[in-house]
Amino acid sequence: MTESRNDTDSTEAGLDLGSGADLSRWRTVLARRTEGRAVALLVVVATVALVLEPIVFTSYEVTLGRLALIGLVALGLTAVILMGELDLAVASTLAFSGVVMASIDNLALGILAALLGGLVIGVVNAFFVVVVGINSFIATLGMLFFLRGAAFVLSGEEPVRLVAREAGIAFGRPLIGPLSPRILIFVIAVIALQVFVTRVRAGREFYAVGGNRQAAYDAGIPVRRRVYTGFMISGFVSALAGVINTLERTAADPTAGGSVLLASFAAAIIGGVLLNGGRGSIVGTLIGAASLAILQVALTLSGVQVDVQNIVIGLILLIAVITDPTTLRVVLGNARALFRGSSQAQPEPG
Amino acid sequence: MTTTDAASTDGESVTALEGPGAAGPEGFQLLPWMADRGIVLFTVALVLFAAVFVDGFASLANITDVFNRSAPIGIVAVGMTFVVISANYLDLSVVSQVATSAVTLLAVSNSTGSVALAMLAAFGVALVYGVVNGTAVGIFKANAVIVTLSTTFIGLGILRWASGGSIYFGPNDGPIRAFGLAKIGPFPLSMLVLILMTLLLSYVLRRTTFGFMVKAFGSNREATRLAGVNTAWIVIGAFLMSALGALIGGFVLAAFSNTAVSTNGTGYDFEALAAIVIGGTSVFGGKGSVLRTLLGVVFVSVLSNLMVLSGLGFGVQQMAIGALIVAAVSLDALARKAGAA
Amino acid sequence: MKMRRARVVGLMLAGAMVLSACAGDDTADDAGATDDAAADDAADDGAAEGDTFEVYALLPQGNDQPYGTTYLPPFEATAEELGLNLTITNSQYDADTQASDCEVAVAAEPDGIILWPAVADTIRPCLEAADAAGIPVTITNSDVLEEDQALTAGYSGPDTYGQGVASAELMCDLAGGEEVGIIMINGLTGNTTAIDRENGFEETINEQCSNVEILARQPGNWNKDESQIAASEMITSVGIENIDGAYAADDTMVAGVIDAFKARDMAVEDLLITSIGNTFLGNPLVLSGELDGTVFQSSSWDGENAARTIYEVLTESPDERLVAFMPDVKVTADNAEDPAVAPEW
């Protein structure tokens, strides 16, 4: 299994479209990329939204805001999933960090404590995975419960208001053009993480760790350290999301993050991330989150009854996840073989 | 079958609570033995501790409460065990299935006067869920988490649209109410249903070819496929088992309160998974048992019961359950490491 | 590559079909929007009868809760009557989702916004954004914080804090000065309605009848089955002989509490039990004497007045904040059969 799906020698931007050889090379690079399905979905959703609910694009800052809401946590999650691990605790990390921040009167100190808390949570998660040796699904499931409880205990089961309320409201206002600080932070996060997993050696090794852990060990990659880094990224990003949400809301809600967990998984998986690790990209998650954001905003604007909205989102998600190109090939191949009476099944995707 | 039960890849017991792992050539090894039977020890220890130190725990009324707590979630969990053993993480759609089952039971029996018809209708819905989930995961090889997430969205959307979100309640003298109230000593009928389901599903998992295939598939997909087995049917079967658990769990839940609403079953997905995992079934798949799940359910129910008896608040309860999940699995992992060392 | 093309086409067909099927409902909406541009200009000069207004309703519940289910039909009917074109959202009590819904609403530039805050502490930024865009906002069901009220044009609804107060007053009357121990079942932990009712009840008990003591409390999560189990366990923990009564934050939960009492062979008629709602589950219990008092909450009043209040604001542009309180009608065995308090949900 190849280490990385990102061919850093031949980024699309750097290719010269002159000769036929380059063109076929480009096709190869694109074919290996995992975001194809996400792009297809995005095109569909964006086109339909453009036609039926143009406000999605004319008030693009609203859609970008929704994207930042779903996408920030999804980005951190992607870093963990690339390594073949899972972080279910992101939702509670978000809520807990918000509560921590609001519980401290000094705003700067509160933000610092919250972000630090996110890092610590990441370290604890990684500890259980690496040192104790538990499956990350279970470890983070336990943390999900634990942190949710902690958020309730710390907040007294009620929302905690920010002392520096005005600062919070100011944070929610547009900063550069119509873009609010949330969107700008999100953009920075996307760039930072994309650079990290594609250009920084430690980040690129995430793919190796996820693709074949034993081989990664044998290749001399400090797997444990990478796992710690990955969980710390996820914890930090979730805490950051909690800080941003709390600032914009001017209060911390211990029940926050309910919809975030599954939406961010959906965004990552639509974006082509493989839950077993080793495959996927930050860009893919971004595209997946964008599809979901446009879909949600368009549906809200359309005034369609919420039950129907959920059915639509569920159907689109189901179709998107069923139509993985490699498996469709296998399924159709099997179906063909069935009709031809042949007993030879095709090899399955890894 | 017993030979294959004993021969698992890492030498650990794949069956419920018997099998090797105790006396190897090195002699008796405490930690692996504990890890295997840890959950039994813990449960027994917890119950004894509670009976002695916590006022009122050992009373008949409280035992009934523990059973009432365990029944609906327990039935769902034993069904979902099949999905976990097949290495498909979990079935998120049990949430909407339980709600649909409960609402269908009461709504249809209220309007047609026939409980049997209502159960049939609910059974039909469960079939659809099981087949859709199983097909998407088994034939299209899609990720189970996302598939069951999407079927939850679709299912709840349809349920709310169809039921209008109202609360349904059965007549006070109806058979459903009677079932919900019936007890044999401190045992509510729902507990007997749980035990029956556990025995039935345990039999299926341990003694039928299907059950064996589910474990084989969970522990090594590729090998199972290469052996010529139709893996799609295994997955569909696993999700059908989960659907069965959610179906009966929904019935029992509706009978207990004689009401049903689309918010029933909230949280059952992760709660069931927690019980399954605490019981000792591995999330990686291939190893575990239905009996273990029952133990996990009992353990979690007793713990929750104790926490309420001690007057602990909701936040503390959640923290305790989270810590417990991690502790239980940690012990298992550490013991395995020590045993392998 | 052929596979990819087939998949893309398939996805496009599926997606387009699904989305356009649903959007078919709102071509009327889009047509209405252009009509409104003209109507708005007319409205500035002085509203005429028969204008249509574009109104966004930001709600935290809908068909996913029994109350919301019976709130929506009268809401939508009254809105249609008054010529309000509603776009309804449901944030399911998630503050972040509601904030995002609010951004969408403000971007759509409707004539007015009806807001039912999911979490009152977090709603101010939404109010400010609407205010900056010149969109009047009226509040329904759960009012905003006092310091934020100036940003809103009106409020209609029951007062969830006041409901807790009313139920507590019932309990105080029932206790009649005696030392009484009760168990308390609250709504979903962290939910605003649950918090308000709990605070309203407890603070009133402390002020008006401190002879009533809350012996234990647990969340019932608005569920009958969870309430029954929690109540039964609290009975065990507190001691059956110490319990003189119970309070639950809604009738569905109190039904569970009563079942728990019955299962323990406790004389329910002698116990002091109060709750909130006077629902289909609760009303019969009042009539049978098992439930001693509840507080009527009319979802239809709530829904109708939500529409009426925004209509008044849009057509009359009053200077002062319009406030319409749904009276907290206490329901006991005396008035339980009164049609004015007939259960609605």
Side-chain angles (χ1 to χ4, degrees):
Chain A
M1 183 164 224
T2 47
E3 265 187 35
S4 162
R5 294 290 180 179
N6 297 319
D7 192 346
T8 49
D9 302 326
S10 55
T11 54
E12 296 96 84
L15 272 182
D16 175 8
L17 286 181
S19 63
D22 278 334
L23 192 59
S24 71
R25 207 166 138 222
W26 202 23
R27 284 181 72 191
T28 319
V29 168
L30 281 182
R32 274 165 50 193
R33 294 204 70 94
T34 56
E35 304 88 351
R37 197 173 19 141
V39 172
L41 183 65
L42 182 64
V43 166
V44 170
V45 169
T47 312
V48 178
L50 191 63
V51 167
L52 296 173
E53 298 291 349
I55 297 182
V56 171
F57 295 102
T58 55
S59 298
Y60 59 90
E61 72 277 7
V62 174
T63 312
L64 283 177
R66 180 82 83 153
L67 169 57
L69 183 68
I70 306 172
L72 190 56
V73 173
L75 290 179
L77 200 54
T78 304
V80 170
I81 299 180
L82 285 178
M83 289 190 305
E85 305 289 352
L86 293 171
D87 188 354
L88 290 179
V90 290
S92 306
T93 307
L94 189 156
F96 180 72
S97 318
V99 170
V100 164
M101 177 181 131
S103 306
I104 298 178
D105 285 352
N106 184 317
L107 186 65
L109 213 59
I111 295 177
L112 203 63
L115 293 178
L116 220 63
L119 285 174
V120 168
I121 291 170
V123 169
V124 172
N125 281 333
F127 170 81
F128 278 112
V129 172
V130 167
V131 175
V132 179
I134 321 176
N135 181 306
S136 59
F137 190 74
I138 297 306
T140 54
L141 178 70
M143 282 299 266
L144 179 71
F145 283 121
F146 185 83
L147 288 173
R148 176 74 57 192
F152 276 119
V153 170
L154 192 58
S155 65
E157 298 177 359
E158 287 189 357
V160 183
R161 280 199 244 158
L162 272 186
V163 171
R165 211 175 182 213
E166 272 313 309
I169 296 184
F171 185 84
R173 297 206 192 100
L175 190 61
I176 298 182
L179 304 178
S180 65
R182 166 199 288 278
I183 298 173
L184 297 170
I185 294 178
F186 177 68
V187 169
I188 295 174
V190 170
I191 296 174
L193 283 171
Q194 172 68 5
V195 165
F196 180 69
V197 299
T198 54
R199 299 250 182 265
V200 176
R201 192 172 61 116
R204 287 169 60 189
E205 284 169 358
F206 277 23
Y207 285 95
V209 171
N212 187 331
R213 194 159 294 197
Q214 193 53 53
Y217 268 119
D218 296 337
I221 294 176
V223 171
R224 291 175 161 221
R225 218 185 303 158
R226 298 292 171 255
V227 172
Y228 272 99
T229 309
F231 275 105
M232 283 169 73
I233 290 177
S234 179
F236 179 81
V237 168
S238 310
L240 182 63
V243 165
I244 294 176
N245 282 4
T246 305
L247 277 173
E248 283 191 355
R249 302 290 95 73
T250 72
D253 183 5
T255 66
S259 52
V260 157
L261 181 61
L262 296 168
S264 29
F265 265 98
I269 291 180
I270 290 177
V273 168
L274 192 62
L275 275 193
N276 292 336
R279 203 183 87 168
S281 69
I282 297 291
V283 171
T285 300
L286 176 65
I287 297 175
S291 308
L292 285 178
I294 294 177
L295 191 58
Q296 284 184 0
V297 176
L299 284 172
T300 305
L301 284 168
S302 70
V304 163
Q305 200 185 359
V306 176
D307 306 331
V308 180
Q309 281 190 36
N310 282 340
I311 296 177
V312 169
I313 293 180
L315 276 173
I316 291 182
L317 210 57
L318 190 61
I319 293 174
V321 84
I322 286 179
T323 55
D324 181 274
T326 33
T327 51
L328 266 190
R329 211 174 293 135
V330 174
V331 169
L332 289 181
N334 281 342
R336 245 182 265 130
L338 197 69
F339 285 126
R340 267 195 243 120
S342 147
S343 58
Q344 226 177 0
Q346 300 202 24
E348 295 192 351
Chain B
M1 283 296 135
T2 36
T3 41
T4 41
D5 279 351
S8 60
T9 43
D10 52 6
E12 293 183 62
S13 165
V14 179
T15 57
L17 299 164
E18 59 206 62
E26 302 81 13
F28 183 74
Q29 288 173 318
L30 180 65
L31 277 178
W33 183 89
M34 260 185 73
D36 259 0
R37 287 150 188 73
I39 182 60
V40 184
L41 290 179
F42 274 132
T43 311
V44 169
L46 186 68
V47 169
L48 285 177
F49 170 83
V52 170
F53 291 106
V54 179
D55 254 345
F57 177 80
S59 63
L60 275 181
N62 194 54
I63 294 178
T64 310
D65 283 339
V66 173
F67 289 153
N68 278 326
R69 259 190 191 279
S70 341
I73 185 72
I75 295 171
V76 170
V78 298
M80 200 166 100
T81 307
F82 281 80
V83 171
V84 177
I85 291 184
S86 73
N88 278 312
Y89 296 105
L90 84 168
D91 182 357
L92 288 171
S93 66
V94 292
V95 171
S96 66
Q97 289 192 53
V98 166
T100 307
S101 163
V103 169
T104 307
L105 179 69
L106 283 181
V108 174
S109 67
N110 278 353
S111 58
T112 65
S114 162
V115 174
L117 198 62
M119 287 189 162
L120 204 61
F123 179 74
V125 172
L127 265 179
V128 171
Y129 267 108
V131 168
V132 170
N133 282 333
T135 307
V137 178
I139 296 182
F140 290 93
K141 310 285 187 288
N143 179 275
V145 174
I146 299 298
V147 166
T148 53
L149 174 66
S150 52
T151 49
T152 306
F153 274 175
I154 298 172
L156 277 178
I158 295 177
L159 176 65
R160 282 170 188 156
W161 174 76
S163 75
S166 349
I167 300 186
Y168 293 85
F169 37 90
N172 270 334
D173 49 359
I176 298 175
R177 177 64 158 160
F179 181 90
L181 288 175
K183 284 195 292 189
I184 302 180
F187 291 93
L189 278 189
S190 57
M191 188 63 184
L192 293 178
V193 172
L194 172 61
I195 293 178
L196 280 174
M197 280 286 285
T198 305
L199 291 175
L200 174 70
L201 291 186
S202 181
Y203 180 84
V204 169
L205 187 63
R206 293 172 58 194
R207 298 253 180 262
T208 65
T209 316
F210 166 67
F212 171 68
M213 292 300 183
V214 170
K215 273 195 250 172
F217 180 79
S219 86
N220 195 331
R221 262 177 216 213
E222 202 51 30
T224 314
R225 190 191 58 79
L226 286 173
V229 176
N230 190 336
T231 56
W233 283 110
I234 297 178
V235 175
I236 293 179
F239 278 100
L240 279 173
M241 288 290 124
S242 184
L244 181 67
L247 175 74
I248 308 288
F251 286 166
V252 162
L253 186 63
F256 177 66
S257 62
N258 205 25
T259 62
V261 68
S262 69
T263 51
N264 281 139
T266 310
Y268 272 33
D269 43 5
F270 286 125
E271 273 181 51
L273 182 67
I276 293 172
V277 160
I278 289 174
T281 298
S282 169
V283 159
F284 287 118
K287 171 175 120 87
S289 85
V290 169
L291 288 178
R292 280 181 177 273
T293 298
L294 180 64
L295 264 179
V297 168
V298 168
F299 188 82
V300 174
S301 300
V302 167
L303 188 72
S304 305
N305 172 269
L306 280 179
M307 291 197 284
V308 174
L309 286 183
S310 316
L312 292 178
F314 175 74
V316 178
Q317 291 182 31
Q318 291 282 285
M319 287 174 80
I321 293 180
L324 180 71
I325 291 174
V326 174
V329 185
S330 294
L331 184 73
D332 179 64
L334 287 174
R336 259 190 282 128
K337 274 192 177 183
Chain C
M1 283 299 138
K2 227 192 285 178
M3 192 57 48
R4 186 171 267 176
R5 232 179 284 144
R7 175 178 35 88
V8 171
V9 171
L11 259 182
M12 285 183 75
L13 282 177
M17 269 195 319
V18 163
L19 281 172
S20 58
C22 301
D25 299 341
D26 60 74
T27 40
D29 264 336
D30 292 330
T34 34
D35 285 345
D36 267 65
D40 265 338
D41 294 331
D44 289 339
D45 305 337
E49 288 295 315
D51 288 341
T52 39
F53 295 106
E54 289 297 315
V55 173
Y56 262 75
L58 306 175
L59 310 179
Q61 60 166 289
N63 275 355
D64 53 308
Q65 305 272 352
Y67 185 78
T69 296
T70 49
Y71 173 104
L72 285 177
F75 178 50
E76 290 170 320
T78 312
E80 205 182 305
E81 219 183 275
L82 298 171
L84 304 176
N85 225 333
L86 287 179
T87 306
I88 303 177
T89 70
N90 178 352
S91 59
Q92 292 183 268
Y93 282 103
D94 184 59
D96 296 320
T97 306
Q98 188 168 63
S100 187
D101 287 344
C102 183
E103 284 181 11
V104 173
V106 170
E109 293 179 345
D111 299 304
I113 292 178
I114 302 172
L115 173 66
W116 176 346
V119 180
D121 305 80
T122 62
I123 208 62
R124 189 187 178 93
C126 172
L127 297 176
E128 293 205 354
D131 187 56
I135 306 172
V137 176
T138 59
I139 309 293
T140 174
N141 185 282
S142 307
D143 207 352
V144 295
L145 303 172
E146 246 184 87
E147 59 259 37
D148 300 332
Q149 285 176 5
L151 285 170
T152 64
Y155 166 71
S156 70
D159 169 17
T160 41
Y161 182 88
Q163 288 171 331
V165 171
S167 198
E169 288 175 348
L170 278 168
M171 181 63 79
C172 287
D173 285 341
L174 288 166
E178 312 246 327
E179 297 274 317
V180 159
I182 63 170
I183 57 173
M184 181 190 222
I185 296 273
N186 290 313
L188 190 62
T189 311
N191 172 272
T192 306
T193 305
I195 295 173
D196 287 342
R197 286 183 184 172
E198 183 181 353
N199 288 340
F201 185 87
E202 191 171 9
E203 285 163 20
T204 308
I205 292 285
N206 291 341
E207 280 171 36
Q208 293 187 20
C209 53
S210 48
N211 48 306
V212 173
E213 191 191 342
I214 301 173
L215 300 169
R217 73 185 75 195
Q218 287 288 329
N221 301 329
W222 311 124
N223 267 335
K224 182 169 182 280
D225 53 287
E226 288 184 56
S227 308
Q228 180 171 344
I229 295 179
S232 186
E233 289 170 343
M234 283 197 284
I235 294 171
T236 307
S237 117
V238 165
I240 200 170
E241 62 284 354
N242 295 324
I243 295 185
D244 305 302
Y247 156 76
D250 85 354
D251 281 358
T252 309
M253 298 196 295
V254 93
V257 175
I258 290 176
D259 272 359
F261 284 153
K262 283 194 209 167
R264 303 289 205 118
D265 296 320
M266 293 166 81
V268 181
E269 294 77 17
D270 297 337
L271 296 170
L272 312 176
I273 306 176
T274 67
S275 76
I276 299 171
N278 197 37
T279 66
F280 291 121
L281 264 183
N283 188 266
L285 293 171
V286 177
L287 288 170
S288 68
E290 291 160 318
L291 178 60
D292 297 298
T294 180
V295 181
F296 176 55
Q297 181 173 10
S298 168
S299 44
S300 61
W301 188 102
D302 208 0
E304 283 169 21
N305 280 276
R308 268 188 231 290
T309 311
I310 192 71
Y311 180 75
E312 267 187 62
V313 167
L314 290 174
T315 52
E316 288 166 36
S317 309
D319 295 321
E320 278 192 15
R321 186 177 194 244
L322 297 176
V323 176
F325 277 124
M326 180 195 310
D328 292 320
V329 178
K330 296 174 187 164
V331 176
T332 59
D334 301 328
N335 63 337
E337 289 184 306
D338 191 348
V341 294
E344 295 178 3
W345 58 284

